[in-house]
């Protein structure tokens, strides 16, 4: 008669296989990359308050001298009287219309620099369809709140020629470019449909 094998747990189980010191995998184990650090203390109980822990360059022992009180102190306003603050204003408070005026003025000023430096012709509107290559002026923007990428680049046209209109840009025909939001540029390309401009040349300051 055949004897059946009994399924039972051995009294002395075999230990699990561990990585030996000679194994190359032990060099890249999590324990080898985990440095031994002391636990951080509370911020209130720190002992290195006011201590310089890192410095760059050499310091030639600067000395400061002054006299107490307000004697000998004379205040002078520099610049035109129109540009000086004569009354209290809210901190970092600017009207949207004033900001738009400054941005428009900056685009016009840099547009004149681009036109004279690269010998460009007159700029056209970014909203008008054009089968032939045209040159437009504006600043780089993003079509969303995320980071700028080749698919989200938008050109905000200037006030004089484009009335601040926007148009998406197709940069696939450019060999190389480097753009950032707010950059003032002049572009040459075609806008056959009036909805997207295919850029062939990029002019920077």
């Amino acid at each position: 008669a055949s004897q059946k094998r009994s399924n039972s747990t051995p009294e002395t189980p075999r230990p699990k296989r561990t990585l030996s010191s000679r194994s190359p995998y032990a060099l890249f184990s999590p324990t080898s990359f985990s440095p031994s650090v002391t636990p951080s203390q509370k911020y209130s109980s720190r002992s290195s308050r006011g201590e310089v822990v890192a410095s760059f360059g050499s310091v030639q022992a600067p000395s400061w001298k002054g006299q107490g009180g307000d004697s000998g102190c004379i205040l002078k306003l520099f610049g035109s009287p129109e540009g000086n603050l004569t009354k209290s204003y809210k901190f970092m408070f600017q009207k949207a219309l004033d900001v738009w005026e400054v941005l428009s003025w900056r685009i016009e000023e840099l547009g004149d620099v681009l036109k004279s430096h690269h010998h460009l012709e007159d700029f056209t509107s970014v909203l008008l369809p054009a089968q032939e290559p045209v040159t437009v002026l504006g600043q780089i923007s993003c079509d969303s709140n995320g980071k700028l990428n080749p698919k989200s680049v938008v050109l905000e046209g200037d006030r004089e020629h484009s009335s601040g209109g926007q148009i998406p840009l197709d940069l696939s025909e450019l060999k190389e470019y480097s753009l950032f939001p707010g950059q003032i540029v002049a572009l040459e390309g075609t806008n056959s449909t009036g909805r997207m401009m295919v850029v062939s040349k990029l002019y920077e300051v």
Side-chain angles (χ1 to χ4, degrees):
S2 61
Q3 297 180 355
K4 296 182 179 181
R5 297 180 59 183
S6 60
N7 296 328
S8 60
T9 303
E11 298 179 358
T12 57
R14 298 176 59 184
K16 295 183 179 179
R17 191 163 118 193
T18 58
L19 295 175
S20 62
S21 59
R22 297 181 180 180
S23 175
Y25 297 100
L27 300 176
F28 302 100
S29 61
T31 56
S32 62
F33 287 98
S34 300
S36 58
V37 295
T38 57
S40 60
Q41 300 177 355
K42 292 183 178 181
Y43 182 77
S44 58
S45 62
R46 67 191 187 280
S47 59
S48 61
R49 181 179 181 181
E51 180 182 353
V52 179
V53 295
S55 61
F56 179 78
S58 59
V59 180
Q60 301 295 333
S63 60
W64 300 90
K65 296 180 180 179
Q67 297 178 355
D70 54 356
S71 60
C73 182
I74 302 175
L75 298 179
K76 293 183 179 180
L77 295 178
F78 291 92
S80 60
E82 295 81 6
N84 297 325
L85 296 178
T86 57
K87 59 182 180 179
S88 59
Y89 285 87
K90 293 182 179 180
F91 179 67
M92 298 182 65
F93 177 77
Q94 290 177 323
K95 296 181 180 180
L97 183 60
D98 296 339
V99 176
W100 170 245
E101 289 291 339
V102 173
L103 293 177
S104 300
W105 174 81
R106 187 182 63 152
I107 294 176
E108 294 175 1
E109 290 291 324
L110 294 180
D112 295 338
V113 175
L114 288 170
K115 184 184 295 185
S116 61
H117 181 72
H118 297 284
H119 306 287
L120 303 177
E121 299 180 356
D122 292 336
F123 300 113
T124 59
S125 175
V126 299
L127 303 177
L128 295 178
Q131 302 295 333
E132 299 295 331
V134 294
T135 306
V136 296
L137 174 68
Q139 68 175 355
I140 299 298
S141 180
C142 185
D143 62 353
S144 61
N145 295 328
K147 294 183 179 180
L148 190 67
N149 57 73
K151 300 298 182 180
S152 65
V153 181
V154 176
L155 182 70
E156 296 182 3
D158 60 336
R159 179 174 55 179
E160 180 181 358
H161 303 91
S162 305
S163 300
Q166 299 182 358
I167 187 170
L169 299 179
D170 184 2
L171 306 174
S172 58
E173 294 189 1
L174 294 178
K175 294 182 179 179
E176 58 182 5
Y177 56 88
S178 178
L179 302 174
F180 59 88
Q183 182 181 3
I184 308 300
V185 295
L187 304 176
E188 181 179 339
T190 57
N191 183 14
S192 58
T193 61
R195 298 181 179 179
M196 177 173 289
M197 185 173 186
V198 181
V199 183
S200 56
K201 291 183 180 180
L202 172 64
Y203 301 99
E204 301 175 295
V205 178

